[in-house]
Amino acid sequence: LDYVDLYLVHSAVGVDERAGLDDRGRKIRPKIPFHALWRDMEGLVASGKARSIGVSNWSCLQVADALNYATIPPAVNQLEIHPTWSSEDLAQWCLSVGVKVMAYCPLGSGKPDMQLEAVRKAASRLGVSPAQVLLKWSLQKGYVPVTKSVNVARMRSNLALDFELTAQEVQALDACEGGVAMKICDHAGEFDLPLYSRL
């Protein structure tokens, strides 16, 4: 492997697993400022090891700060996005400043997204699967949804998105936001930080 097309900083909060826990039982975080980390990321582009660089799970403040010091701005902010956890404000803000949004968990795995009435109605009208409706919703919002499957038929179905949701169907899916209870990846618990509170 000579290069990667896209290399992401996986999380806005690092954890040094080898360092263990502090005296209060919390995971120890490395003391690396984002601007120093980003300089190293830009070095990967300069060396030809990465064509594009981006971030994952960064807040608007972290992305805005990066846009101030980056020579190469983040190409992508990868966020958990599905109708019941839409990250709407952050995702739309990223798009407005030229940072693409990659949607992970776009099918709402383990959450009620596939069974939502708005999803079922659109799927029935269009003759497509609920998964196709969720992926198309993501695309019509301007995001790049990423899925994984080992099932060839499902892979083909995930690419067969040559239909359009109506504005009303998109709005109905937008209205399904369920708050933190619908989040799949709980980074607050992982990093022992109040990431989803209104601080």
Side-chain angles (χ1 to χ4, degrees):
L1 183 68
D2 297 322
Y3 69 90
V4 294
D5 288 318
L6 176 64
Y7 193 64
L8 302 178
V9 176
H10 178 68
S11 177
V13 179
V15 171
D16 186 349
E17 295 291 345
R18 293 168 296 170
L21 305 175
D22 66 15
D23 58 357
R24 292 173 60 192
R26 298 173 303 188
K27 294 177 181 177
I28 295 175
R29 289 183 273 284
K31 294 174 173 50
I32 302 169
F34 289 139
H35 66 87
L37 172 66
W38 197 254
R39 187 177 54 241
D40 290 345
M41 294 289 286
E42 291 174 332
L44 294 172
V45 175
S47 70
K49 292 181 180 175
R51 288 191 174 170
S52 297
I53 50 177
V55 297
S56 184
N57 303 303
W58 279 30
S59 71
C60 62
L61 292 176
Q62 291 162 322
V63 173
D65 189 40
L67 294 175
N68 287 326
Y69 57 71
T71 303
I72 302 170
V76 169
N77 191 4
Q78 184 187 59
L79 302 167
E80 178 181 333
I81 295 178
H82 45 93
T84 59
W85 177 262
S86 67
S87 303
E88 177 78 10
D89 292 342
L90 173 55
Q92 291 300 317
W93 178 83
C94 285
L95 293 176
S96 78
V97 295
V99 176
K100 297 208 178 338
V101 174
M102 181 184 294
Y104 71 84
C105 297
L107 305 181
S109 177
K111 300 299 177 184
D113 297 73
M114 296 272 266
Q115 290 80 38
L116 292 169
E117 182 181 358
V119 172
R120 287 193 326 248
K121 277 184 165 178
S124 176
R125 180 186 73 80
L126 293 159
V128 297
S129 71
Q132 288 172 297
V133 169
L134 292 169
L135 293 172
K136 190 62 175 191
W137 172 80
S138 221
L139 286 168
Q140 285 184 223
K141 302 284 288 179
Y143 314 145
V144 179
V146 290
T147 61
K148 60 181 181 177
S149 180
V150 294
N151 181 301
V152 174
R154 201 167 295 137
M155 288 182 215
R156 287 191 182 113
S157 174
N158 288 346
L159 293 172
L161 302 174
D162 55 343
F163 58 88
E164 290 292 317
L165 299 172
T166 66
Q168 293 80 13
E169 287 168 334
V170 171
Q171 288 169 354
L173 287 166
D174 289 347
C176 295
E177 172 62 52
V180 176
M182 292 296 119
K183 186 145 179 43
I184 296 167
C185 300
D186 179 9
H187 300 293
E190 182 181 353
F191 300 121
D192 192 27
L193 292 169
L195 296 176
Y196 312 117
S197 66
R198 302 227 183 255
L199 295 177

